[in-house]
Amino acid sequence: MATADDHRTYSIRQLCREFGATARALRFYEDKGLLTPARKGQTRVYDARDRARLKLILRGRRIGFTLTEIQEMLDLYDRNDGNTHQMAIALARHRAQIEALKQQREDLNAAIEMAEEACAAMESRLSEQRPDLLPGAEEYASVLRQHLDHHAHHPFKLRA
């Protein structure tokens, strides 16, 4: 049974505002066949189906799916089976993507750890050989100069 929301239409501006997308992105998805808005003259008119597809497209992109993968999953939509086939395929792909993202996270953590170790080794050597080349050394020297200049003008302050 159709609801009132099923018959509602949206402008490109409304969908952009709701989903934080750009008009250029929506036109791009239309060019790729992911969205199929109706036309009223030059104006694009999106329906509830387009809105739902946009939500899935943006979610899929955030997860890391390619547009081709998203298109394949969207094409499996079939109301007659309650989308069970689509959900089964999407579930398997989501599980695989979770594993890929976890591996990327591990790779990133390892890369960060290696970079931090390299920074610590370089900072240690610089602090022994040329502390003036350490990051922030110039700022520290500037503050120190200002402090020393101030005290040079007033080397001894009398206390009352």
Side-chain angles (χ1 to χ4, degrees):
M1 178 184 266
T3 66
D5 281 345
D6 290 338
H7 299 293
R8 181 172 174 198
T9 60
Y10 306 86
S11 70
I12 196 167
R13 182 176 289 156
Q14 286 172 316
L15 290 181
C16 289
R17 188 172 30 244
E18 179 178 354
F19 292 104
T22 63
R24 183 173 182 233
L26 270 66
R27 289 190 298 271
F28 177 76
Y29 298 143
E30 181 183 352
D31 289 343
K32 295 295 180 183
L34 296 165
L35 298 175
T36 54
R39 299 281 186 152
K40 286 187 181 171
Q42 292 290 338
T43 304
R44 289 169 171 82
V45 180
Y46 297 88
D47 60 16
R49 179 180 179 272
D50 290 313
R51 183 185 172 280
R53 287 173 69 92
L54 178 59
K55 186 175 184 177
L56 293 173
I57 292 164
L58 296 174
R59 182 181 298 153
R61 295 298 290 153
R62 264 191 307 275
I63 292 171
F65 290 122
T66 67
L67 289 179
T68 302
E69 292 169 323
I70 294 167
Q71 177 75 56
E72 290 168 357
M73 287 185 277
L74 289 173
D75 287 347
L76 294 171
Y77 178 81
D78 183 1
R79 266 194 178 166
N80 294 333
D81 76 349
N83 300 322
T84 56
H85 184 67
Q86 180 190 38
M87 283 189 287
I89 300 295
L91 176 60
R93 289 190 178 174
H94 277 75
R95 290 282 178 213
Q97 187 66 10
I98 288 168
E99 292 308 311
L101 290 170
K102 285 180 178 179
Q103 183 60 54
Q104 286 178 5
R105 181 173 56 196
E106 287 178 25
D107 294 344
L108 282 171
N109 287 338
I112 289 168
E113 188 175 321
M114 288 175 63
E116 286 175 341
E117 289 170 3
C119 286
M122 289 182 276
E123 286 171 345
S124 176
R125 284 201 57 201
L126 279 173
S127 67
E128 294 169 6
Q129 297 174 2
R130 291 286 308 269
D132 58 304
L133 296 178
L134 283 168
E138 178 117 359
E139 291 172 38
Y140 177 74
S142 174
V143 169
L144 186 58
R145 269 193 300 275
Q146 288 175 355
H147 182 72
L148 291 174
D149 286 347
H150 175 72
H151 286 295
H153 296 299
H154 306 287
F156 303 104
K157 284 191 176 180
L158 297 175
R159 294 185 190 169

